[in-house]
Amino acid sequence: MPPVTPDAPGEGTPRGTAAGKAGRWGSLARQALAGERESRGAPGSRATMCELYSKQDTLALRRKHIGPSCKVFFAADPIKIVRAQGQYMFDERGEQYLDCINNVAHVGHCHPEVVTAALKQMELLNTNSRFLHDNIVEYARRLSATLPETLSVCYFTNSGSEANDLALRLARQFRGHQDVITLDHAYHGHLSSLIEISPYKFRKGKDVKKEFVHVAPTPDTYRGKYREDHADPAGAYADEVKKIIEEAHNSGRKIAAFIAESMQSCGGQIIPPAGYFQKVAEYVHRAGGVFIADEVQVGFGRVGKHFWSFQMHGEDFVPDIVTMGKPMGNGHPMACVVTTKEIAEAFSSSGMEYFNTYGGNPVSSAIGLAVLNVIESEDLQGNATRVGDYLTELLNKQKAKHTLIGDIRGIGLFIGIDLVKDQQKRTPATDEAQHVIYKMKEKQVLLSADGPHRNVLKIKPPMCFTEEDAKFMVDQLDEILTVVEEAIGARSESVTSENTPCRTKMPNEAHSELLSEGTSDPRENPSRKRNGLCTDKHSLLSKRLKT
């Protein structure tokens, strides 16, 4: 991973030559970075401009004043990030990390055009959206132009959770129906209305599913009910939704909506089989419900060939409602619900005014417009395709080399690496995945693990990610997996030579210690310790597997 330097345009800049524009950050970013360096002083000194407290003081204040349920990444050894640029983040010591997980900083951390747009509008005006202003209507016009023609009415909010909550209100008002069908392991937000439809957040054995919520199997063709060897997995999974609808009707209930991420993220980077959404939409519409496509994590060109992930499924599939958020403002809180004129008019007919103080305010809209401009001018969709294809090719070569890799799946810059203990049985390698993300952090690459078993390495970097970045990331992963597999193999051989029964490839002692630390108890909800959010200590695998 080359260092980011401001010394010469185009040399070592965050975007490299991914789209043939090496110096795209321009003088603004270089000057800002030079200023940061001056403030930081000698290597190892604190970046006084960015840091109010020492790392230990920051941790102590966080423990005192921030809710204990608000976890940090790599809790056993958290990183204190003081600045970022492009696809790189920097800690208080000036150490550089390659960011492979930040789908919020969509066009790159602190992109000069986005920063400038925010500053200019903030200096001029920011107020609530009930005043007439050009920015909100211009952004709505530009945003609608990226969607199918029928999706033309916008409601602006401040977060993906707000957007999904509003989408449920729209769906329920449309026909007066109440019930919602969601996918297993889905996550749609932190509001109470969304926790109810997010099985990812259900606490096993403690939460009682509401009677108006129906959970359909995740259309996972690798580890799910219907796999890649099934004659028609799309039809089989869609029929599961059809059965749910029939059972609901037999109980006198009515379906308001089916909601799904166009590609499931927290559920383990799941790509639905071709034809699944079309069939589901047919059944849901027949039942008087609407189809909500949640693009909060996967929209705005991340898949490369299409601006919206649902468009991968073909022109004959158009959702009734689309929600979006995270990448929309490149880190600025901004989200939206887009729907049809018919659904919007039904919502208005209730007589209740919808008003959001900050949604679509002049500054947010200016930022959103800048993000759209950068995606287009820097061909970030094309970059997602080129770099994503190259990264997938590299990872598939690693799959052929490493027994720990069970599956590589994804499109564009949305990729999952499914780690397994046994490729035939597809046994999730949960502990190994946690070990890997900590070791990658030591090599200054930031990854996270998620999915129902927390064994899927998630790759969803800023869209300026380059082929050079991809190669560096895969090289580090290769080294770590090689050492892990050698350690596991050596331990397995030792156990076998002693004629001791061994049910897994994982060292038994390490497994028991991990379980005692609370990181692998199957009774726990995996989401509570996802993405490297260990409760107190480093993954104990590091004690067994030295890399």
Side-chain angles (χ1 to χ4, degrees), residues 261-263 271-272 277 293-295 297-304 306-314 317 322 411 414:
E261 289 182 277
S262 300
M263 300 187 294
I271 316 298
F277 279 166
D294 181 343
E295 293 266 340
Q297 295 219 48
V298 296
F300 291 88
R302 179 156 294 278
V303 296
H306 302 283
F307 201 83
W308 303 103
S309 296
F310 73 78
Q311 293 172 323
M312 297 185 304
H313 298 273
F317 170 66
V322 177
I411 299 171
F414 182 85

Side-chain angles (χ1 to χ4, degrees), residues 356-534:
N356 190 310
T357 303
Y358 301 110
N361 69 71
V363 170
S364 293
S365 297
I367 289 171
L369 285 166
V371 170
L372 291 180
N373 290 339
V374 173
I375 292 172
E376 182 178 354
S377 66
E378 299 188 1
D379 187 29
L380 294 184
Q381 277 187 254
N383 190 61
T385 296
R386 289 186 293 273
V387 178
D389 287 350
Y390 176 67
L391 177 55
T392 300
E393 178 185 346
L394 292 179
L395 289 173
N396 276 317
K397 290 179 181 178
Q398 294 300 312
K399 179 186 173 184
K401 177 179 179 181
H402 294 291
T403 58
L404 272 171
I405 299 179
D407 190 35
I408 303 295
R409 51 181 178 265
I411 299 171
L413 287 175
F414 182 85
I415 299 171
I417 306 171
D418 199 311
L419 299 187
V420 297
K421 296 176 184 289
D422 186 301
Q423 288 185 336
Q424 296 300 315
K425 296 179 181 179
R426 305 184 181 184
T427 310
T430 299
D431 301 326
E432 291 83 349
Q434 299 304 307
H435 174 76
V436 167
I437 63 174
Y438 269 92
K439 284 300 177 182
M440 288 292 280
K441 179 180 74 85
E442 290 178 10
K443 292 178 176 291
Q444 296 176 291
V445 178
L446 303 182
L447 280 177
S448 63
D450 221 324
H453 308 284
R454 295 176 296 114
N455 69 304
V456 180
L457 304 182
K458 299 168 66 173
I459 305 173
K460 46 187 181 65
M463 295 275 281
C464 49
F465 205 71
T466 68
E467 291 186 357
E468 185 179 26
D469 296 324
K471 179 68 164 56
F472 177 79
M473 189 216 80
V474 173
D475 285 348
Q476 309 316 303
L477 182 64
D478 180 24
E479 290 181 14
I480 292 168
L481 292 179
T482 297
V483 175
V484 170
E485 289 171 348
E486 287 175 354
I488 291 174
R491 176 68 179 177
S492 296
E493 289 177 10
S494 174
V495 170
T496 301
S497 67
E498 296 171 9
N499 296 317
T500 302
C502 183
R503 297 178 60 189
T504 70
K505 293 184 179 180
M506 172 114 178
N508 290 333
E509 186 180 1
H511 179 269
S512 62
E513 284 193 84
L514 278 157
L515 189 60
S516 70
E517 290 296 323
T519 60
S520 299
D521 188 341
R523 295 169 296 180
E524 281 281 355
N525 179 6
S527 70
R528 295 182 64 189
K529 302 184 187 71
R530 68 189 186 281
N531 294 345
L533 305 182
C534 298

Side-chain angles (χ1 to χ4, degrees), residues 98-356:
L98 178 62
D99 182 359
C100 299
I101 57 176
N102 214 316
N103 61 334
V104 178
H106 192 62
V107 301
H109 291 279
C110 305
H111 193 289
E113 290 185 35
V114 178
V115 172
T116 300
L119 177 62
K120 285 184 175 180
Q121 184 58 53
M122 224 178 278
E123 289 180 329
L124 187 64
L125 170 72
N126 197 23
T127 187
N128 72 55
S129 55
R130 297 182 81 166
F131 289 102
L132 195 63
H133 197 275
D134 287 343
N135 283 8
I136 187 172
V137 294
E138 173 62 6
Y139 186 70
R141 184 188 70 81
R142 289 277 303 278
L143 189 65
S144 298
T146 67
L147 291 156
E149 188 176 356
T150 56
L151 293 167
S152 60
V153 183
C154 302
Y155 295 88
F156 291 102
T157 66
N158 307 288
S159 71
S161 292
E162 270 191 87
N164 280 331
D165 177 76
L166 179 57
L168 293 181
R169 289 178 59 190
L170 290 169
R172 284 167 170 157
Q173 177 64 31
F174 185 50
R175 301 283 190 206
H177 299 176
Q178 175 72 11
D179 289 24
V180 176
I181 302 174
T182 187
L183 293 177
D184 202 5
H185 313 309
Y187 174 65
H188 295 290
H190 63 81
L191 300 181
S192 296
S193 63
L194 303 172
I195 295 296
E196 291 173 345
I197 63 166
S198 297
Y200 180 79
K201 286 289 188 179
F202 290 176
R203 295 173 300 168
K204 304 301 181 185
K206 295 182 180 180
D207 287 328
V208 177
K209 182 174 66 66
K210 300 293 190 295
E211 61 181 0
F212 57 81
V213 177
H214 310 275
V215 180
T218 302
D220 179 358
T221 57
Y222 178 70
R223 186 175 277 105
K225 186 175 182 179
Y226 307 109
R227 300 186 176 185
E228 72 277 3
D229 57 353
H230 191 280
D232 181 18
Y237 278 117
D239 284 344
E240 294 285 339
V241 176
K242 183 180 179 182
K243 291 175 187 176
I244 287 173
I245 294 172
E246 291 171 348
E247 290 172 1
H249 285 177
N250 290 337
S251 300
R253 308 198 64 86
K254 295 181 178 180
I255 303 299
F258 172 90
I259 184 170
E261 289 182 277
S262 300
M263 300 187 294
Q264 203 173 51
S265 181
C266 291
Q269 312 293 87
I270 305 300
I271 316 298
Y276 171 71
F277 279 166
Q278 283 92 333
K279 289 182 171 66
V280 168
E282 177 187 341
Y283 299 147
V284 171
H285 288 156
R286 195 184 301 167
V290 301
F291 193 112
I292 302 172
D294 181 343
E295 293 266 340
V296 170
Q297 295 219 48
V298 296
F300 291 88
R302 179 156 294 278
V303 296
K305 293 181 180 178
H306 302 283
F307 201 83
W308 303 103
S309 296
F310 73 78
Q311 293 172 323
M312 297 185 304
H313 298 273
E315 294 182 0
D316 59 335
F317 170 66
V318 178
D320 303 292
I321 300 173
V322 177
T323 60
M324 56 197 73
K326 294 184 188 297
M328 194 173 182
N330 208 53
H332 179 83
M334 187 178 185
C336 187
V337 179
V338 185
T339 189
T340 66
K341 186 176 180 180
E342 183 183 11
I343 292 174
E345 288 178 346
F347 187 58
S348 179
S349 70
S350 69
M352 182 184 294
E353 177 186 3
Y354 175 74
F355 167 54
N356 190 310

